[in-house]
Amino acid sequence: MSQDSFQSLVNRLESAWSGRPEGLLRQTVAWVTLGYLALAFSVLAGFVLLVTGVVIAVLYQSLAVTLLAGLISLAGLALAVFVLGCLWVRFEPPEGLVLEERDHPELHRLLCELGDLAGGVRFHRVMLDAEMNASVVQNPRLGVFGWYRAHLVIGLPLMEALSLDELKAVLAHEIGHLTRADGKTCAWLHRTRETWERVVDRFSRNGFCPVIGDFFQWFWPRFNSRALVLSRFSELAADQFAAQAVSPQALASGLRRLAILGKRVEYEFWEPLDRAVDEGIDLPADVMDRLSEAVRRPVDPDQAAAWLAEAMAVRTGSTDSHPGLAPRLAALVLPAVPDDELPLDLPGDMSSADHLLTPPFLEHARRHFSRMWLEEVRECRARQARLQDLEHAAGIRKAWDRIAALVRLDGLEKVQPEVMALLERQPAHSGALYLRGSHLAEKCDPQACEFLERATSDPTIASRAFETLERLHTSHGREKEAALIKERALQHDLELRAALVERSRISNGDSFFPHDLCDTDLHALRELLNDEPSVARAWLAAKEVRHFPRWPLVVIGLELSYSLSANARRALDTQLMHLWSGEAYVMVFLADEGMKPVLRTLRRTIPDAEVYRRK
């Protein structure tokens, strides 16, 4: 279903069921039942095929029939296991600081009062996080089959932004989702929608059973549209509960304040901080203290009015499970109060956080969330740096592969712009240095000697570079220099033969030392190994060599869970060698009986040589 068709369906449902959420609730439950029946039918079909295959194998003893029965049973078992595996969806519990009753009695007393008004609602755990929001998180222990554990998550910035009455109204709204049978059913449908979204995604991505996948592609937008509209109705019903439990004025004031402060935090706090993160500027260690100051500082009335008007103008999107601010305020039916009335400024120490949390805990929470934010941003920067390095390395390889192909077709002259561009990106690229030097040598340009001399540092290219240098000196009548180059080339060829012999074998008598891969290259190696399902474990080291020690011998040991064909093994070796782009000699060996002594020596010498283990 296209996005426009989905939006049209949501609009039709919202219009048709406005004021009659009970009817939509019954219809949505029917759609959920249809989904469960489809899953049950798929599992049942799998078991029927399994049993059918077993019965055929028992009744008919011929080899051909037995093989056919085995295939039928295997197909049925695979179908049942696949469907049941898709149903096992894991939801991680929310992260944050636990607000225990013994440490925060006033907060828990307030929650008990509101929970009693909602019919005895209680939470498994009350958490504090760093978001300017509050939410009820219910994690299913059994995937689509439920058995939920309820967590109430309250944001520290939310508590510092709202007054005590406003926070009560917001918490009452969250608890209101769990009131009455209809409310609990709506909450169940909301959780079920999140679970089904993951299930449908697994079916769509896997493509194991196209018939079931096509059914859920048809089923999902129709169920999802009803669940979305029902979620919006549920939000308005929870607002009504909060208005009755606390007051409509407190809820409206809290919603307006959050809309205004949300814009301030976005424009004046997070956007400048995000730019600092992107630009690599030093990060503040007290980000939560700064956020606290931002939400507590009074807002200029004109600016507050502009931000509130901006929030009121936002329309509900097709995939939004919450109505916009304007319809929520309109549904509260506030007496003689305009929707754009600004909330009163709070005194500096009159936020709900000051009432319900102790100063030492507030300081501890700010430090904790600041440290978490700092660690998260640093990890994000490291990931971005690794990605940029990988993209740079991939770009270098791609550019060189293109140059190597074009030079055979078009000659040295036409590829020079690309060669110079590559040298600007990687000045020490030996292949580009050789091609540049060879081109300049054809033009009798004296700068050719500099490029060719630098290219001789690569043992794999040095012979050709020496040959070009010898011809260049000879063509200019520099016989002495040409003789010296010829002698250097001879010595190089002798040492290269010795180096290749030295690199052609490894034994348990060799000396090994740790690899020098950077984090980026190590990440790329692990990604490559992870993409090859036969690789169970891998070890990485470097062998000590006498000839051309700057041309390292990288040793990679692989433990395979099953054997590879000769072609597949060559392809894997080529991919591994390609990671070093000719900057090292790469030897790949299998940890079989013949090489186990080598592996034992390597592991004993380098305890952390293991770089990959399949989970």
Side-chain angles (χ1 to χ4, degrees), residues 72 194 276 311 344 460 530 546:
I72 294 174
E194 294 180 349
L344 298 175
T460 62
N530 194 59
R546 292 176 52 246

Side-chain angles (χ1 to χ4, degrees), residues 299-307 342:
V299 184
D300 177 75
D302 292 337
Q303 185 62 76
W307 282 335
L342 298 179

